[in-house]
Amino acid sequence: MCFGSKLRWNLLGLVALFALLPLAVISLPAQGQENEQCFPETGFCVSGRILEYWQQNGGLPVFGFPITPQREETIGDWTGQAQWFERNRLELHPENEAPYDVLLGRLGAPIVEREGISTPREEPREGCTYFEQTGYNVCGDFLAYWSSHGLNLDGQPGFTFEESLGLFGLPLTGEVEATLEDGMTRTIQWFERARFERHPENDPPFDVLLALLGVAEHGASVEPAPVEPAPVEPAPVEPAPEEPAPVEPAPEEPAPVEPAPEEPAPVEPAPEEPAPEEPAPEEPAPEEPAPEEPAP
């Protein structure tokens, strides 16, 4: 092959390489975005290992929405990356091997201790699971909820006793009636990492719910970073129908007024003509004396 042909093929190869470079660059952010989920309900996003843990171990029903960003926090004598959710706090512990590189906060225990919540220790009861460490039973629908949720530690379906214990911890009280934040009185039971609430007005499995201990312990969430929603093309706005201009009523024609009957002008009586005077009777003319005949 001659030198000119080689040069031409080399130039074509460079052009093709530069044409593909933008595609490679564009694809990099998309890979990062796949491991992030944002929640417009609170304005915060969850990403990386905390998002994986959140998805694998119960998601929204167990942990709730994020109420802070992931950030460095000091909790007791530990300092590290953590993120608060409505029902718990997730902490990153990279010094541990997975799945223990993410740990849950013990939010129930400090509240029970701080508020002095306690119930008498119990004896084991039939049909319940008894915890000798604390002296309390977990029974009925609370036991069903406790056993049907847990951390996915072995990757197998269902939850072992240890996996449920890892999610909720030990019971710290028996069942007790309490007036909650919403003013309603409900049956509850405290655990190291949760508070179970009985909601008989709901159909199963929502007749047992977890309290929002993350909100109670952390308080109001920080101001969220704005989450840019995907652009949505607005639906065409139909113009509002124009209201017809008000029609002014035609002026009412006044009812014809009948003229008052005109009183006839007073007729002055014609001047009476004097009655014709009767001529005075003519006096007879004096008779002329007959001519006297002469005497013979």
Side-chain angles (χ1 to χ4, degrees):
M1 184 182 291
C2 67
F3 177 77
S5 299
K6 289 183 179 180
L7 180 60
R8 184 171 63 254
W9 282 107
N10 288 338
L11 289 175
L12 289 174
L14 287 174
V15 170
L17 178 62
F18 281 114
L20 293 175
L21 277 177
L23 298 178
V25 173
I26 291 172
S27 65
L28 290 177
Q31 293 175 357
Q33 291 173 359
E34 288 177 1
N35 200 25
E36 180 179 72
Q37 185 172 352
C38 297
F39 298 87
E41 293 84 353
T42 58
F44 293 103
C45 299
V46 187
S47 61
R49 182 68 182 102
I50 288 182
L51 176 60
E52 293 176 4
Y53 188 95
W54 186 91
Q55 293 171 334
Q56 294 169 359
N57 295 291
L60 193 61
V62 172
F63 302 113
F65 293 112
I67 58 174
T68 72
Q70 178 181 320
R71 62 190 180 186
E72 184 175 285
E73 294 205 17
T74 298
I75 301 162
D77 58 357
W78 174 82
T79 298
Q81 291 290 311
Q83 187 165 10
W84 286 83
F85 293 79
E86 289 179 301
R87 296 183 172 93
N88 214 313
R89 180 186 67 237
L90 273 61
E91 305 169 2
L92 281 179
H93 289 261
E95 68 276 9
N96 300 338
E97 293 185 4
Y100 304 103
D101 55 340
V102 177
L103 299 178
L104 291 173
R106 295 178 71 249
L107 300 192
I111 296 176
V112 168
E113 182 178 355
R114 184 171 64 245
E115 298 184 5
I117 301 170
S118 65
T119 60
R121 292 174 67 90
E122 302 170 341
E123 295 296 325
R125 297 205 303 267
E126 185 177 354
C128 302
T129 297
Y130 183 71
F131 294 82
E132 293 183 358
Q133 300 91 326
T134 58
Y136 295 107
N137 294 280
V138 181
C139 307
D141 50 359
F142 282 0
L143 177 59
Y145 189 93
W146 193 90
S147 302
S148 62
H149 294 78
L151 301 179
N152 187 8
L153 301 178
D154 58 7
Q156 300 300 317
F159 301 100
T160 65
F161 179 90
E162 290 74 18
E163 288 175 329
S164 297
L165 185 64
L167 179 59
F168 300 120
L170 298 168
L172 300 180
T173 69
E175 293 185 12
V176 63
E177 297 289 317
T179 301
L180 304 183
E181 294 82 3
D182 60 1
M184 301 294 292
T185 299
R186 302 189 184 278
T187 301
I188 66 169
Q189 186 168 10
W190 285 92
F191 294 80
E192 289 181 291
R193 297 185 177 90
R195 183 183 76 201
F196 287 18
E197 301 174 356
R198 183 170 290 132
H199 289 254
E201 70 278 8
N202 298 340
D203 293 330
F206 305 107
D207 53 340
V208 175
L209 299 177
L210 299 178
L212 304 180
L213 297 188
V215 174
E217 275 294 272
H218 183 269
S221 61
V222 300
E223 188 69 22
V227 177
E228 295 185 2
V232 178
E233 293 186 3
V237 179
E238 296 183 1
E242 295 184 1
E243 295 184 1
V247 178
E248 297 183 0
E252 294 183 0
E253 296 184 1
V257 178
E258 295 184 0
E262 294 183 1
E263 294 183 1
V267 179
E268 295 183 2
E272 293 183 0
E273 295 182 1
E277 295 183 2
E278 293 183 0
E282 294 182 359
E283 293 182 4
E287 294 183 2
E288 294 181 0
E292 291 180 6
E293 292 182 1

